[in-house]
């Protein structure tokens, strides 16, 4: 890594960054030749399948975002095949700000998140990333204990159908509050702004509904079902375009909600580590049931 630093620079401190699921993240404080410091972030995939593909996609996305106004980290170097590092890794600039997962101020943040996602979907890569992959099937859904059986059965039937036709756009594919940085504390509530969007490893090509649905589900589990519905509205208010037919919008939102049924424990653990200790696996399952039921009632 030292060959990617400026002359006279060296790593003086490392700090493990928590909150990620698939990769190890470290903040590297670099001592400069004039006595100052600057920070970089090292993203490492340890014994992870598809690491090369993920890192190549992230490197391409960070390069695409440069100079666009989308506040992504700057790419410093990437070693997707571990030719120089112990494990496949990517080195990038460090962005100011922090994730905000608490309920306070969510009404201010949701429109900001929506406008940011519209800006991401407006990016036009010279080379398209690979087509999105949706792994959840009707047979892999895990219906939570005590869930509304009729609503979940109806939701499962929705995703048995083929995916609706759609126009492709660049997708972040994991756009959600855990991957967005805000200036905290802001100068005032009205001055809250997004300072960064991170974790571009799953960048794909597909329908905007898919990104919107993913963020909506995260918001519903973090703050309650109403915020999941509100995010889709905010996205359209910000100029984003979703599927025209209600049945098509329902398909993507239900697909996202049901996908979370398979990984509630995995998703909720970082939230608890970040301070949302009340979001136990059971509590998140209850919110997921409420959200899926709300979708089936409101959008069917």
């Amino acid at each position: 890594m030292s060959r990617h630093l400026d002359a006279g620079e060296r790593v003086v401190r490392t700090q493990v960054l928590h909150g990620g699921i698939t990769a190890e993240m470290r903040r590297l404080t670099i001592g400069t030749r004039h006595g100052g410091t600057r920070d970089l972030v090292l993203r490492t995939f340890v014994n992870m399948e598809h690491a090369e593909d993920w890192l190549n996609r992230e490197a391409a996305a960070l390069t695409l975002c440069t100079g666009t106004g989308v506040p992504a980290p700057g790419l410093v170097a990437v070693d997707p095949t571990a030719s120089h590092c112990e494990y496949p890794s990517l080195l990038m600039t460090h962005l100011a700000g922090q994730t905000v997962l608490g309920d306070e101020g969510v009404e201010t943040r949701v429109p900001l998140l929506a406008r940011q996602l519209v800006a991401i979907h407006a990016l036009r890569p010279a080379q398209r990333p690979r087509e999105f992959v949706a792994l959840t099937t009707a047979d892999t859904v895990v219906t939570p204990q005590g869930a509304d059986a009729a609503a979940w059965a109806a939701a499962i039937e929705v995703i048995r159908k083929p995916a609706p036709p759609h126009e492709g756009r660049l997708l972040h594919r994991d756009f959600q509050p855990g991957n967005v940085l805000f200036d905290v504390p802001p100068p005032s509530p009205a001055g809250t702004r997004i300072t960064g969007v991170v974790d571009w490893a799953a960048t794909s090509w597909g329908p905007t509904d898919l990104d919107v649905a993913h963020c909506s589900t995260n918001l519903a589990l973090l703050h309650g079902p109403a915020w999941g519905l509100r995010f889709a509205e905010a996205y359209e208010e910000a100029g984003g375009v979703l599927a025209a037919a209600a049945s098509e919008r329902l398909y993507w939102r239900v697909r996202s909600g049901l996908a979370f049924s398979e990984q509630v424990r995995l998703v909720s653990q970082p939230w608890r580590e970040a301070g949302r200790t009340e979001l136990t696996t059971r509590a998140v399952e209850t919110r997921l049931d409420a959200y899926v039921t709300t979708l089936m009632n409101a959008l069917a």
Side-chain angles (χ1 to χ4, degrees), residues 228-247:
L229 300 180
R230 173 66 189 121
F231 181 72
E233 295 173 352
Y235 178 82
E236 292 188 294
E237 290 167 2
V241 178
L242 296 174
S247 60

Side-chain angles (χ1 to χ4, degrees), residues 24 26 42-48 51-52 55 78-90:
E24 293 184 1
R26 288 180 175 82
L42 182 66
R43 178 181 178 88
T44 302
F45 288 102
V46 179
N47 299 325
M48 291 295 293
E52 180 179 358
L55 289 177
V78 62
D79 183 12
T81 59
S83 299
H84 305 284
C85 302
E86 185 177 4
Y87 299 105
S89 302
L90 183 143

Side-chain angles (χ1 to χ4, degrees), residues 103 216-229 276 287 291:
D103 290 330
S216 293
T217 306
N218 275 275
L219 289 167
L221 301 185
L222 281 166
H223 308 297
W227 288 108
L229 300 180
R276 294 296 303 272
R287 282 192 171 179
Y291 180 55

